[in-house]
């Protein structure tokens, strides 16, 4: 904005505007008529910068620079007049801005200019991928590309064979031995077309599923985003669409509002915002004007006298303490996405849409996800299969070429005949490649995921990213929020004491026992629902008045029309308590007693008070606050008559008795103090409630302040009467302890990451079962300053991270992933976005979650319940198992078919395999598609939680699977080879009737064709029955377990048998089959059923006899990264409920036991969280050993003790310097392995003893 000397023609308004603009620092103007760019205004908000606001000329400079009037708002000149919110005759709700400025002419810039330079308050819609884009993405799979190439080659060669070569008519014989002639069937191209159809099915199923999931997510977020907010325009308060807010607008803020745009506070009364979803700050942030904040900072700076003092930091180093003049929990900045808790006010908008904090956060989350562990393994498998298939095809090609060219010794055939023969050989080789590639594998994965994600929605898991489902199955750790996920995110009164010893505890469902009842102080406590019957009505009325009157919370309907209280969590808990025990409506109580004076809550006083007029000469002060503070201000307490027996009600006389007070003497004060301590040890937040009566207001003899007000200290810091103390907490969600136990049983390490203090976090974590003996609880500020090796040492036993910031959560997730963990993270706030995005599987909350959290997550918990995560683990493991079951089934087919094709084509005189290409396609494709659907639809069972998760480095096919694959392949090859090469003799098909000797060769050829049909039919039934066999991946014998629950499997089994019957009877020339009679069908089915008993035999073969071979097959691949490669430790009889699951890169075998004081002799580094001092000493020893030429390791060295002794001062210094502290409860012998040959372990006795 350019400034110039005001001329005589300028209006007073223009002169005033120029004067304010003069305070703005002069710099190049790149934003048209405005003095600031969107990026410059964003520097005020992210991060919050009062200093930058000062450089911009304070609030007045901002208002002048964006042409905004704090009193009248923007002027809608040229626009249709907006209807005022306030109707005629009503009082206008006016919030006077703290900034007193002359009128600013806001019409010098139009609304179009504001939208052009600062943008609209909408985010650009993420253009959803069309179905064709999703299909193109699905086509990028390596297996599909390989199939497409094979299909194109197969179609080309098929057309050449059918139409490029001559095929004379074929002479055949019927069942009655009559002869007929038929032309050659031109069906060689069918194979390639069928492969293309298969690829199309895979692509369509995958892309349609992705499209459906994205549409479901959009539907979830389809809650009405277009809401109306109160805006001052033309000096009137009007309702405007949130999308029409522009920079320079002045908006009203009221309790319950979600802030629609960034801005700077103009003025108001006691405005507090909840920014926990944005920055993790658990306390409400009070909003003050910039000028007020400057004044408070000056007071703070004057009272802060620590500058220049020498203090010790966290590393034990003496440093000069810097001055700290910042104010905590107070600022003038209004952040989009935050929520107004209490108070009212106005603010001027400085950032909208993509230029606001909320908008930028949302835009930063629009990234693409990477491959999941299963995808990586399947891609690798596809490459290996393609290589093996190509190798087999090349070998076959070479052998067949040699066999063919050897025949040239008897004479060279015509050129056309040579070409035809070479093409036939090439077709056979391509067939081997096609057979080797598992065409049904991509479809199996897609079907399994599609089925699982559809069913998971019924279990309150909306899967946004399809691949997250299978990833969750092998999650090794879950980092969970506390508030809203493990707990209900609703503070609740769970215990309390009225007077001295009238105690009550929360009700529990019938049949359950309240764990608090066993605590000594609650021995005679009554259930909360019976409290009203156990205290005089006057006490009950006083309690309800104290709660309702001394509160600013109110009741309102939510989006679903459900009534709930809105306000500070403590006040909401108290009002809920009052309502739950049958108290009068809070509005009636407030209306019955007019408020005379209000002392709002402040962190300095740790309390609040409200004075109401009860009668002409009776004024009552109600106070509440931190219980220990309230107790010190009380000199009396209520004397309450309790019922003589627990569970019985008071007599009518006692119920109607008057209020009586007794002196809060030393003994009684001690008793109240013990009550507070008892509640605190239960990690309850204790609130004291008290009152005091006055005959007049202001009270007689009280000296008023300069403002004519009664000072708080004169009336509320002494002389109070204690009504009682209540304990509140955020209770656990139902089923959370059981869900945590289920996770631990499944080998999933559950960690709590919360912004709460360490005592509350420990209490909730203990109740959940997350915190166990031997675990570590750490605070975020301490965790984030750890060195990387210290962090890696602590993380395996870290169970609770308290007082953590979003950055701490992100650091933890990053280190866990670097250590080889598969990490799931829960989050509901905007601040959780980075950690959710970084994790392998991000869970957001469907009810309480912000839009940012949902956008960053892969799975949305529709009920916000941790228990739903267990269902996600179950379904994830079911998906992984489904893929493995199908892989076991598919590879059996592939191994058998490749060997069959290779051997029979080489042995055959005309280079033709035993099974035709179309027959192989039916076996390999159509049957596999149906098998994939059958095996993918097995519902998860709870026994899936009885095994450990598989690490990323685990092989896709383990030894047990290979044993079954090869065992079944040997069976199938044996049966097929015997039928192919000895079947004519066994079935006596070589004999020709004496009267048919003239067509004997045709009859034998016809019978050979029948035998080939039997071979094909038997091979198919071997696969059909092997599908049942593949329902189990382990060595358990009951393969029919739960089969009756899977209707899909039963139906598909029948369909496959029916299809096979139709092919044999009606396949004819296309499938090269002949009809079979009853005996032949029986032979095929009985031979096929051998898959099941042979499967039992294979499972009974002990795997231990294979020894090193099994270890080699099951070996994990090398982990990547520069972190310690901890080896897994296997210890028997691990008690999952009371132990700490171990975090290792290549296996999750054991835990640190909770009962033993020493570790087993074979314990390695994986089992203990060793201190960084040991790590650094080990490094020094390795360097020292290298310099000494290895003499330390030489067992024959006579001066070893001298060399080691020379190192002692250095070792001790290093240990002290790195903060070494030995772990308690562990003996020397338990700290190292006697068989260990590492120098660092041999020297562990040098460490100081506990």
């Amino acid at each position: 904005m350019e400034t110039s000397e005001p001329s005589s023609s300028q209006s007073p308004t223009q002169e005033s505007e120029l004067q304010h603009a003069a305070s703005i620092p002069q710099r190049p103007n790149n934003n048209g008529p405005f003095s600031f760019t969107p990026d410059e205004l964003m520097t005020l908000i992210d991060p919050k910068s009062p200093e930058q606001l000062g450089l911009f000329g304070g609030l007045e400079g901002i208002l002048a620079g964006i042409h905004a009037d704090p009193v009248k708002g923007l002027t809608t000149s040229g626009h249709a007049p907006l209807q005022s919110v306030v109707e005629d005759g009503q009082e206008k709700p006016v919030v006077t801005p703290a900034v007193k400025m002359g009128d600013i002419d806001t019409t010098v810039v139009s609304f179009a200019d504001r939208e052009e330079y600062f943008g609209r308050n909408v985010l650009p819609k993420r253009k959803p991928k069309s179905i064709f884009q999703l299909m193109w993405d699905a086509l990028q799979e390596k297996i599909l590309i390989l199939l497409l190439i094979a299909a194109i080659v197969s179609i080309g060669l098929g057309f050449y064979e059918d139409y490029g070569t001559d095929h004379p008519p074929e002479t055949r014989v019927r069942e009655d031995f009559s002869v007929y002639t038929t032309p050659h069937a031109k069906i060689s191209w069918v194979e390639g077309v069928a492969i293309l159809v298969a690829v199309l099915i895979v692509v369509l199923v995958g892309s349609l599923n992705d499209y459906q999931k994205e549409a479901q997510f959009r539907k979830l977020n389809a809650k009405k985003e277009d809401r109306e907010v109160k805006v001052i325009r033309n000096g009137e308060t009007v309702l405007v669409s949130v999308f029409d807010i522009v920079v320079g607008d002045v908006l009203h803020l009221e309790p319950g509002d979600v802030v629609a745009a960034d801005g700077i506070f103009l003025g108001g009364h006691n405005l507090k915002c909840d920014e926990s979803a944005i920055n993790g700050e658990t306390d409400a942030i009070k909003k003050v004007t910039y000028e007020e904040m400057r004044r408070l900072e000056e007071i703070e700076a004057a009272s802060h006298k620590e500058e220049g003092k020498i203090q010790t930091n966290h590393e034990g180093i003496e440093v000069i303490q810097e001055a700290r003049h910042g104010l905590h929990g107070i600022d003038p900045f209004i952040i989009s996405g935050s929520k107004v808790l209490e108070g009212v006010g106005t603010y001027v908008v400085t950032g909208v849409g993509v230029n606001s904090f909320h908008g930028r956060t949302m835009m930063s989350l629009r990234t693409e996800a990477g491959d999941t562990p299963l995808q990586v393994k399947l891609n690798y498998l596809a490459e290996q299969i393609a290589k093996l298939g190509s190798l087999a095809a090349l070998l076959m090609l070479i052998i067949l070429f040699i066999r063919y060219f050897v025949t040239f010794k008897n004479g060279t055939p015509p050129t056309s005949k040579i070409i035809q023969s070479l093409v036939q050989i090439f077709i056979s080789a391509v067939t081997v490649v096609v057979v080797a590639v598992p065409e049904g594998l991509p479809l199996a994965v897609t079907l399994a995921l599609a089925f699982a994600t559809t069913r998971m929605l019924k279990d309150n898991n909306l899967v946004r990213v399809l691949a997250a489902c299978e990833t969750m199955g092998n999650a090794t750790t879950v980092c969970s929020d506390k508030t809203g996920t493990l707990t209900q995110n609703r503070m609740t009164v769970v215990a309390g004491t009225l007077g001295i010893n009238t105690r009550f505890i929360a009700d529990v469902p019938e049949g359950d026992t309240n764990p608090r009842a066993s605590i000594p102080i609650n021995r005679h406590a009554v259930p909360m629902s019976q409290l009203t019957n156990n205290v005089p009505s006057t006490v009950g009325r006083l309690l309800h008045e104290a709660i309702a009157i001394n509160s600013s919370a109110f009741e309102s309907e939510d989006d679903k029309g459900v009534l709930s209280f809105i306000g500070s969590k403590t006040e909401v808990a108290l009002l809920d308590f009052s309502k739950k025990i049958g108290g009068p409506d809070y509005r009636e109580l407030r209306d019955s007693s007019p408020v005379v004076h209000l002392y709002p809550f402040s962190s300095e006083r740790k309390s609040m008070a409200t004075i109401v007029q009860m009668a002409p000469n009776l004024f009552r002060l109600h106070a509440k606050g931190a219980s220990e503070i309230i107790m010190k201000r009380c000199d009396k307490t209520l004397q309450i008559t309790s019922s003589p027996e627990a569970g019985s009600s008071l007599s009518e006389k006692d119920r109607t008795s008057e209020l009586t007070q007794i002196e809060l003497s030393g003994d009684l004060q001690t008793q109240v103090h013990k009550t507070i301590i008892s509640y605190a040890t239960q990690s309850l937040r204790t609130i004291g409630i008290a009152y005091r009566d006055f005959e007049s207001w202001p009270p007689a003899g009280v000296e008023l302040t300069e403002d004519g007000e009664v000072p708080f200290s004169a009336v509320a810091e002494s002389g109070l009467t204690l009504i009682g103390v209540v304990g509140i907490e955020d209770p656990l969600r139902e089923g959370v302890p059981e869900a945590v136990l289920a996770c631990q049983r499944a080998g999933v390490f559950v960690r709590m990451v919360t912004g709460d203090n360490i005592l509350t976090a420990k209490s909730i974590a203990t109740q959940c079962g997350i915190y166990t003996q031997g675990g570590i609880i750490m605070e975020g500020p301490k965790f984030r300053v750890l060195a990387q090796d210290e962090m890696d040492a602590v993380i395996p036993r870290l169970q609770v991270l308290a007082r953590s910031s979003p950055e701490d959560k992100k650091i933890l997730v990053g280190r866990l992933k670097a250590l080889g963990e598969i990490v799931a993270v829960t989050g509901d706030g905007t601040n959780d976005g980075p950690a959710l995005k970084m994790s392998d599987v991000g869970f957001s909350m469907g009810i309480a979650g912000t839009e940012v959290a949902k956008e960053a997550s892969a799975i949305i918990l529709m009920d916000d319940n941790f228990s739903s995560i267990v269902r996600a683990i179950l379904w994830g493991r079911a998906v992984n198992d489904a893929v493995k079951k199908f892989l076991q089934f598919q590879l059996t087919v592939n191994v058998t078919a490749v060997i069959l094709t290779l051997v029979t084509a080489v042995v055959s005189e005309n280079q033709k395999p035993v099974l035709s290409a179309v027959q192989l396609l039916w076996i390999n494709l159509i049957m596999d598609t149906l098998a994939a659907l059958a095996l993918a639809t097995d519902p998860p069972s709870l026994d899936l939680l009885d095994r450990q998760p598989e690490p990323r480095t685990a092989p896709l096919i383990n030894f047990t699977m290979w044993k079954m694959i090869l065992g079944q392949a040997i069976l199938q090859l044996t049966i097929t080879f015997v039928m192919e090469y000895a079947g004519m003799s066994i079935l006596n098909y070589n004999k020709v009737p004496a009267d048919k000797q003239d067509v004997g060769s045709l009859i034998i050829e016809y019978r050979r064709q029948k035998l080939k049909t039997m071979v094909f039919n038997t091979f198919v039934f071997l696969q059909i029955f092997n599908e049942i066999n593949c329902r189990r991946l382990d060595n358990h014998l009951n393969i029919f377990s739960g089969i009756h629950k899977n209707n899909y499997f039963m139906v598909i089994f029948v369909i496959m048998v029916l299809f096979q019957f139709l092919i044999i009877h009606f396949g004819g020339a296309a499938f090269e089959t002949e009809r079979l009679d009853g005996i032949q069908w029986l032979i095929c089915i009985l031979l096929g059923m051998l898959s099941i008993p042979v499967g039992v035999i294979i499972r009974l073969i002990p795997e231990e006899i294979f020894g090193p071979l099994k270890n080699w097959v099951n070996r994990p691949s090398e982990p990547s990264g520069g972190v310690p490669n901890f080896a897994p430790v296997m210890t028997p009889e691990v008690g999952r409920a009371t132990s700490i699951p171990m975090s290792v890169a290549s296996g999750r075998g054991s835990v640190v036991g909770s009962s033993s004081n020493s570790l087993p002799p074979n314990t390695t580094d994986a089992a203990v969280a060793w201190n960084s001092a040991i790590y650094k000493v080990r490094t020094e020893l390795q360097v020292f050993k290298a310099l000494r030429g290895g003499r330390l390791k030489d067992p024959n060295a006579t001066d070893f003790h001298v060399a080691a002794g020379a190192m002692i001062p250095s070792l001790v210094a290093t240990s002290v310097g790195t903060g070494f502290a030995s772990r308690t409860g562990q003996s020397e012998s338990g700290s190292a392995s006697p068989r260990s040959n590492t120098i660092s372990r041999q020297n562990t006795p040098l460490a100081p003893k506990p």
Side-chain angles (χ1 to χ4, degrees), residues 891-1217:
L891 288 181
T892 305
V893 180
N894 289 125
V895 169
T896 311
V898 167
I899 296 175
L900 269 181
T901 305
L902 183 63
V903 172
T904 54
V906 168
V907 172
S908 171
E909 293 181 359
N910 53 2
Q911 292 87 39
K912 286 191 70 175
V914 60
L915 299 175
S916 71
V918 178
Q919 288 174 350
L920 283 171
L921 193 65
W922 157 244
I923 294 166
N924 235 28
L925 179 67
I926 310 301
M927 268 190 52
D928 290 351
T929 302
L930 294 171
L933 188 58
L935 293 170
T937 51
D938 264 341
S941 58
L942 290 176
D943 59 1
L944 290 174
L945 296 176
D946 292 330
R947 70 183 195 216
Q948 302 294 299
E950 293 180 358
R952 295 177 190 273
T953 53
L956 188 59
I957 308 168
N958 58 33
F959 183 80
T960 306
M961 291 172 65
W962 274 121
K963 187 176 70 168
M964 184 59 65
I965 290 169
L966 296 177
Q968 290 290 339
I970 290 170
L971 169 70
Q972 293 176 13
L973 285 170
T974 302
I975 291 175
T976 310
F977 282 143
V978 168
M979 290 187 72
E980 170 67 11
Y981 296 114
M984 294 291 287
S985 301
I986 294 172
L987 297 173
N988 206 21
Y989 282 176
N990 287 325
K991 289 187 178 180
V992 179
D995 58 338
K996 298 293 182 181
Q997 291 296 329
D998 54 333
V999 290
S1001 59
L1002 291 176
I1003 292 172
I1004 290 176
E1005 184 60 34
Y1006 169 71
R1007 287 176 173 172
R1008 178 168 291 283
Q1009 189 61 36
K1010 275 220 169 192
L1011 180 63
K1012 282 185 176 294
T1013 303
M1014 288 181 67
V1015 170
F1016 167 56
N1017 203 26
T1018 302
F1019 192 80
V1020 167
F1021 275 101
L1022 282 165
Q1023 313 314 322
I1024 289 176
F1025 287 105
N1026 188 38
E1027 184 185 347
I1028 301 174
N1029 196 50
C1030 288
R1031 291 188 70 248
R1032 290 207 79 107
L1033 293 170
D1034 51 28
N1035 286 322
H1036 292 284
L1037 300 181
N1038 186 6
I1039 58 175
F1040 297 100
S1041 174
I1043 196 170
H1044 61 284
K1045 297 178 182 178
N1046 190 350
N1047 294 327
Y1048 291 95
F1049 191 95
M1050 307 290 284
V1051 171
I1052 289 169
F1053 186 86
V1054 172
I1055 288 174
M1056 290 167 73
V1057 173
L1058 181 62
F1059 274 13
Q1060 182 63 19
F1061 176 81
L1062 294 174
I1063 285 171
I1064 296 300
H1065 273 258
F1066 305 105
F1071 283 89
E1072 300 181 23
T1073 57
E1074 296 287 346
R1075 293 188 180 186
L1076 302 179
D1077 58 31
I1079 297 297
Q1080 291 165 337
W1081 271 102
L1082 184 62
I1083 292 171
C1084 296
I1085 292 172
L1086 289 176
L1087 288 174
M1089 288 181 68
L1090 287 176
S1091 285
I1092 293 177
V1094 169
V1096 171
I1097 295 170
I1098 293 170
R1099 285 186 168 91
L1100 290 174
I1101 299 173
E1103 295 178 2
E1104 289 72 20
I1105 63 175
F1106 297 98
L1109 179 62
K1110 177 185 175 183
N1111 296 334
W1112 180 81
V1113 171
N1114 287 339
R1115 77 194 189 287
S1117 57
E1118 289 298 321
S1120 58
V1123 296
N1125 184 15
F1126 296 144
V1129 183
M1130 303 302 292
T1131 55
E1133 300 177 2
V1134 176
R1136 303 300 303 180
T1138 58
S1139 60
I1140 305 116
M1142 185 185 66
S1143 298
V1144 292
S1146 58
R1148 297 178 59 85
S1150 89
V1151 297
V1152 180
S1154 60
S1155 57
S1156 61
N1157 291 326
S1158 60
L1159 297 172
N1162 62 339
T1163 301
T1164 64
D1165 287 341
V1168 293
W1170 34 263
N1171 192 282
S1172 63
I1174 299 299
Y1175 182 76
K1176 293 175 180 177
V1177 168
R1178 180 181 302 181
T1179 306
E1180 286 197 9
L1181 281 168
Q1182 289 172 345
V1183 174
F1184 182 77
K1185 181 177 69 174
L1187 293 173
R1188 291 277 179 162
R1191 289 160 60 203
L1192 280 176
K1193 198 174 181 180
D1194 183 6
N1196 300 318
T1198 56
D1199 60 341
F1200 172 77
H1201 61 283
V1202 179
M1207 289 291 292
I1208 289 177
S1210 174
L1211 294 178
V1212 173
T1214 304
S1215 297
V1216 174

Side-chain angles (χ1 to χ4, degrees), residues 76-99:
T76 56
S77 58
H79 291 69
L82 296 164
Q83 185 175 358
S84 174
V85 174
V86 184
E87 296 180 4
D88 293 337
Q90 288 185 333
E91 185 181 347
K92 297 183 179 180
V94 177
V95 179
T96 306
V99 183

Side-chain angles (χ1 to χ4, degrees), residues 616-678:
N617 294 320
L618 177 60
F619 295 85
R620 180 165 289 169
L621 178 147
H622 289 290
K624 74 168 182 286
S627 55
E628 63 275 10
I629 301 293
I630 295 293
M631 186 190 71
K632 290 176 183 177
R633 296 171 181 171
C634 294
D635 53 21
K636 297 185 185 71
T637 184
L638 291 180
Q639 185 175 24
I640 302 174
T641 304
S642 301
S643 58
E645 296 180 9
S648 62
S649 301
L650 289 176
S651 65
E652 186 62 27
K653 179 182 177 181
D654 291 333
R655 288 271 301 138
T656 57
S657 62
E658 295 294 321
L659 285 175
T660 55
Q661 303 172 352
I662 57 173
E663 292 293 325
L664 193 60
S665 60
D667 290 342
L668 293 180
Q669 201 167 24
T670 302
Q671 200 169 337
V672 173
H673 187 62
K674 286 182 178 178
T675 299
I676 294 171
I677 291 175
S678 175

